[in-house]
Each structure stands twice: as C-alpha cells, then as structure tokens.
Amino acid sequence: MDRTSNEPAYVELRPAAEHGRTALDGLSGLHHFCFAGFQRPDRMEWGPLRAFHEFTLQPAAERPPSLHAGFEILTLVLDGRLRRTGRWAPREAMITGAVELVHSGVGVDLGVATLGDVPARYVEIWAKAPRIHGEPRRTVRARAPRGFARPIASNRPASAETLRWAADARVTRATLAADATLKRRLEPGDCVYVALRAGRLEANGVIANAGDALAISGPGRLRIAALLPADFYWFRGRGAAEG
C-alpha cells in the first residue's frame, strides 16, 4: 500500500560499517555512496544527493585534479588548511570552519592539497545540478552557518549567509540536545539524508549511532529524537530516491 502523509515516513538505517572506504598514499576517505572502488547498486544516490564523502589528507599530500561536470559540490573544512588545485589554483587557503561551493557547470578540473604540517579533514557533499550548463563558479566563506534555521546551502536561501545553489535541496549541520525532538511532515518526492557525526538518534523507531546514516523518504510523518546529544548533517531535497 502506498504511504500517505498521515503515516510514518520511510526510514532506512545505513550503518557506518557499510560505508565505502578509500586508502591511498596520503589520503583516506569514507563514502556513503558509490565512489571509486566502492560500488553498490543500492548506494547510487538519494534524491538529488549524489555523494557524501569524508576525507583526511596528510601533510604535503594532494588529491590530484579530476574532471567534474553537472554537480554542485559543497566542501566543509573540519580541521586543518586546504588549497584548491586545478581550475582555481593558486587560491587562498581554506581553513578550519570554511565552506566552499563549486558549480561545476559544463566541466571543471578540481583538486585539493594540504597546507602546513598537520592533516586536513573535510566533507564533500555533491548535489546533482538541474541542468548541465554554464561556466564553473566558486564561492568561499570563512565560516559555515549552523542550525536548521540557517542552512549552509539552499536553492531558496533565507539569508545572505546561505550559499545559493540550483539543486532543489538544502543542507544544514545541526545539533540536538539529549531528549530534544525534531518533527517534519514529508511530501511525496521528499528525500532526507542524515549523517550522524556524534551522539545517538531515533527516527520513527530506527536507532542510529555515531557514524551511521539514515535514508528517509516521504510522504509521511518524521520524528527524530536525540537519545544522546547529537551532531549531524541534514540534507533534504526533492527527487526519486534510489537505494
């Protein structure tokens, strides 16, 4: 039977142990969706979300430039200092807390390298652009907004702090105190992806621990409760969920 907006939304647990991993000279990565050697037909995308990567780059290491087209790529620097290589090299350093949005357009070579003598950790979130067109563009901010009311990137930004992209989606990094709850009503075509950095959550009866992810689709009611103080990324977009 088809779900309705009055029934619970679909929630799938994606345990941390099932994520893909990359281990190269100077580079380690964790992948929620198919990438490089991690290939699973049920991990292709989730609505407009095509990739969620967490990378660690050692001092003096570089992730060589590669061609990207048709994506909008959000990069959040968690620790350390990075610089772009490829199309926009050389450019100013991106330091801890910085956020970058790249519209890859018809194609752009993107690489990244560390600066300094400490490792750099960063997250990449790729959203599918509605159309593949135009020249590549890049926007960098010194610090990403925090909280559900202040999305990092959205196609309908509510403030000047939010980076604007064309994808019908929004991304936030948020926290919930223990015993706090978040309630949403999802419409048909709504896709939510929660990547839990720390803590413990329960979503419509499904429990996620640090490192796990939740793939959620509408229609239906969604209730997320923090069983422990929780820090997580929240991606909400519209499109057919695959998985």
Side-chain angles (χ1 to χ4, degrees), residues 103-121:
H103 301 262
S104 63
V106 294
V108 61
D109 282 325
L110 285 181
V112 67
T114 49
L115 288 172
D117 56 1
V118 297
R121 296 189 307 118

Side-chain angles (χ1 to χ4, degrees), residues 59-202:
E62 177 182 359
R63 188 172 156 205
S66 58
L67 182 65
H68 299 73
F71 291 105
E72 297 176 292
I73 301 172
L74 190 68
T75 300
L76 300 108
V77 183
L78 305 180
D79 294 298
R81 302 170 69 220
L82 295 171
R83 64 177 176 84
R84 273 291 168 209
T85 60
R87 167 71 178 254
W88 286 292
R91 280 293 186 268
E92 71 284 354
M94 295 187 292
I95 65 174
T96 301
V99 57
E100 174 199 62
L101 178 60
V102 168
H103 301 262
S104 63
V106 294
V108 61
D109 282 325
L110 285 181
V112 67
T114 49
L115 288 172
D117 56 1
V118 297
R121 296 189 307 118
Y122 63 101
V123 166
E124 279 187 0
I125 300 171
W126 300 14
K128 295 182 293 183
R131 291 182 296 157
I132 301 176
H133 72 290
E135 289 297 308
R137 306 191 309 278
R138 177 178 184 261
T139 305
V140 180
R141 301 274 171 79
R143 187 160 295 278
R146 294 286 293 272
F148 277 108
R150 302 168 65 198
I152 300 168
S154 174
N155 66 327
R156 293 184 291 273
S159 72
E161 295 180 310
T162 300
L163 295 165
R164 179 185 288 275
W165 61 10
D168 189 359
R170 61 185 287 168
V171 176
T172 63
R173 180 178 172 186
T175 57
L176 283 181
D179 299 323
T181 60
L182 167 71
K183 296 180 181 180
R184 292 289 186 272
R185 186 175 294 276
L186 305 184
E187 300 300 325
D190 281 351
C191 298
V192 172
Y193 197 81
V194 173
L196 183 56
R197 294 184 48 76
R200 198 176 196 214
L201 294 174
E202 179 180 353

